[in-house]
């Protein structure tokens, strides 16, 4: 029973913290700053089906996982602003969740798992990269899940873990 109370408290604290950190963000318009290009369906489809993209100053750039995630979001939601907000606002909570599952593999205390996940998701580097609109944040958010799948694959050699590793890689 104590573990369930700690887990429920962790979830409530998790939701409260991210609601607090995101409270002053402008959610009604497209963000376009630093490395972050505004999202649109045409660009997303071009990136998803293309081989290279001339990004910013014209250098070749390919971020396959970003393109796949954008494309899937556009498939279900047909609004550029909402897709951009769902994508970027989910990165730090996603990094919290993936680190939480990885830390469960090594740490028994739910409170220490929470603190570890919190420090991983909201440290000065990630907050700064979020503020700068960095496109590498999806890799950071999914890295703990990738590590967890590699550990499970090395232990059990199940095909499903290999597929998960291939999709994330």
């Amino acid at each position: 029973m104590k573990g369930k109370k700690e887990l429920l408290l962790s979830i409530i604290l998790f939701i409260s913290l991210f609601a607090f950190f995101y409270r002053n963000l402008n959610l009604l318009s497209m963000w376009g700053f630093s490395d972050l290009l505004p999202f649109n369906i045409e660009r997303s489809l071009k990136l998803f089906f293309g081989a290279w993209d001339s990004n910013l100053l014209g250098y070749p750039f390919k971020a396959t996982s970003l393109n796949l995630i954008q494309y899937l979001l556009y498939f279900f939601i047909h609004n550029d602003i909402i897709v951009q907000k769902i994508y970027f606002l989910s990165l730090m909570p996603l990094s919290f969740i993936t680190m939480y599952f990885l830390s469960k593999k090594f740490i028994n205390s739910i409170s220490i798992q929470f603190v570890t996940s919190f420090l991983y998701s909201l440290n000065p580097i990630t907050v700064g990269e979020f503020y700068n609109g960095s496109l590498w944040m999806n890799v950071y958010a999914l890295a703990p899940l990738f590590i967890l799948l590699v550990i499970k694959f090395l232990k059990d050699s199940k095909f499903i873990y290999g597929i998960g590793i291939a999709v994330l890689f």
Side-chain angles (χ1 to χ4, degrees), residues 44 48 67-77:
S44 178
F48 184 71
N67 303 336
L68 177 62
I69 294 167
Q70 279 182 328
Y71 178 75
L72 291 173
L73 284 172
Y74 278 121
F75 185 76
F76 295 107
I77 303 166

Side-chain angles (χ1 to χ4, degrees), residues 85-132:
K85 299 306 177 274
I86 288 172
Y87 177 77
F88 279 102
L89 294 178
S90 69
L91 292 176
M92 285 194 282
L94 182 62
S95 66
F96 178 94
I97 292 166
T98 58
M99 180 52 87
Y100 182 80
F101 284 115
L102 179 63
S103 65
K104 281 179 71 169
K105 185 83 174 158
F106 303 105
I107 302 169
N108 292 329
S109 170
I110 292 175
S111 57
I112 295 175
Q113 293 167 3
F114 180 85
V115 170
T116 302
S117 303
F118 176 75
L119 292 175
Y120 180 79
S121 64
L122 289 174
N123 60 64
I125 304 264
T126 57
V127 171
E129 290 300 316
F130 176 80
Y131 180 75
N132 288 328

